[in-house]
Amino acid sequence: MATDDMWIWDGGRVCLDFANTLRHRWRTTPEETLRSPGDLTVWLQQAGLLAPGIQDPGTAAVLASGRRLRESVDRAVLAVADNGLPLPGDITVLNRSAAEAPRPAVQIAVTDGRLEPAGTANTATDASAALALIALDAVDLLLSPEIRRVRVCGADHCALRFVDRSPARNRRWCSMSRCGNRTKVRLHQARARRSDHTPAD
């Protein structure tokens, strides 16, 4: 079973965090973090998509469906972020899954003496419905201007996907504390080695 620290939450959207559960996509054989139905259930709970207290052991079929959805999300998002269109099969996967998403009940609250809509978290009661919420988030991202801010981490050995919300739209790494610092340290060490081997005049 995957450990909680295997999952990275720097995508900025739940659908990108889900795409990032397949790690090291640059390798010939990427690293799978959703190795069992239990891994998928724990990830969905950590992502806040399963209602509190739900004990859903999941099934191999739901895990396979989740992995298919993940790859459809990844391909579609990268295609549209690059000014292309998703594959027809990926559109079908996303639409079918999103159609199964639970809809939150309409709720109200009194704020400053006025009735207003109450913000409620949209959670599911089983893994299949939670996957549908991921599809819904992906559809929302694909149709929003934010899709143009989707990036792939610039570190040589990462490739995580994220939304660049920096004011200058120039974020290069999935996380400054992880890939950004590592890259800067590596470049600094490389410069120091080159300077040590430069012959003196």
Side-chain angles (χ1 to χ4, degrees), residues 30-104:
E31 181 182 357
E32 179 62 75
T33 67
L34 302 178
R35 299 179 190 121
S36 71
D39 288 337
L40 177 60
T41 298
V42 172
W43 189 92
L44 293 169
Q45 289 170 336
Q46 292 290 319
L49 298 174
L50 275 178
I54 297 295
Q55 298 297 320
D56 181 8
T59 64
V62 172
L63 176 61
S65 176
R67 289 176 176 171
R68 271 193 307 277
L69 173 63
R70 177 185 64 194
E71 297 314 298
S72 288
V73 167
D74 191 60
R75 284 189 299 266
V77 165
L78 292 183
V80 177
D82 196 34
N83 296 312
L85 291 172
L87 297 171
D90 291 334
I91 291 173
T92 299
V93 168
L94 290 170
N95 283 340
R96 283 184 181 161
S97 184
E100 301 299 318
R103 300 296 189 255

Side-chain angles (χ1 to χ4, degrees), residues 35-198:
R35 299 179 190 121
S36 71
D39 288 337
L40 177 60
T41 298
V42 172
W43 189 92
L44 293 169
Q45 289 170 336
Q46 292 290 319
L49 298 174
L50 275 178
I54 297 295
Q55 298 297 320
D56 181 8
T59 64
V62 172
L63 176 61
S65 176
R67 289 176 176 171
R68 271 193 307 277
L69 173 63
R70 177 185 64 194
E71 297 314 298
S72 288
V73 167
D74 191 60
R75 284 189 299 266
V77 165
L78 292 183
V80 177
D82 196 34
N83 296 312
L85 291 172
L87 297 171
D90 291 334
I91 291 173
T92 299
V93 168
L94 290 170
N95 283 340
R96 283 184 181 161
S97 184
E100 301 299 318
R103 300 296 189 255
V106 178
Q107 298 190 0
I108 57 175
V110 176
T111 306
D112 296 328
R114 293 188 319 270
L115 281 178
E116 294 185 348
T120 57
N122 199 4
T123 57
T125 56
D126 62 61
S128 292
L131 289 172
L133 293 174
I134 294 171
L136 201 60
D137 183 59
V139 169
D140 181 67
L141 174 60
L142 289 166
L143 295 174
S144 78
E146 197 166 55
I147 189 65
R148 303 291 176 225
R149 290 186 170 217
V150 172
R151 309 280 186 266
V152 176
C153 183
D156 290 341
H157 298 105
C158 181
L160 291 180
R161 286 70 163 120
F162 63 91
V163 175
D164 176 7
R165 293 194 177 109
S166 65
R169 299 189 183 194
N170 62 354
R171 182 174 154 197
R172 295 180 56 197
W173 299 290
C174 61
S175 165
M176 188 62 197
S177 63
R178 190 175 42 256
C179 289
N181 284 340
R182 286 179 193 161
T183 301
K184 288 185 173 186
V185 167
R186 191 173 68 251
L187 292 173
H188 174 74
Q189 290 171 339
R191 280 193 301 272
R193 281 194 298 273
R194 279 196 303 272
S195 120
D196 287 346
H197 290 89
T198 301

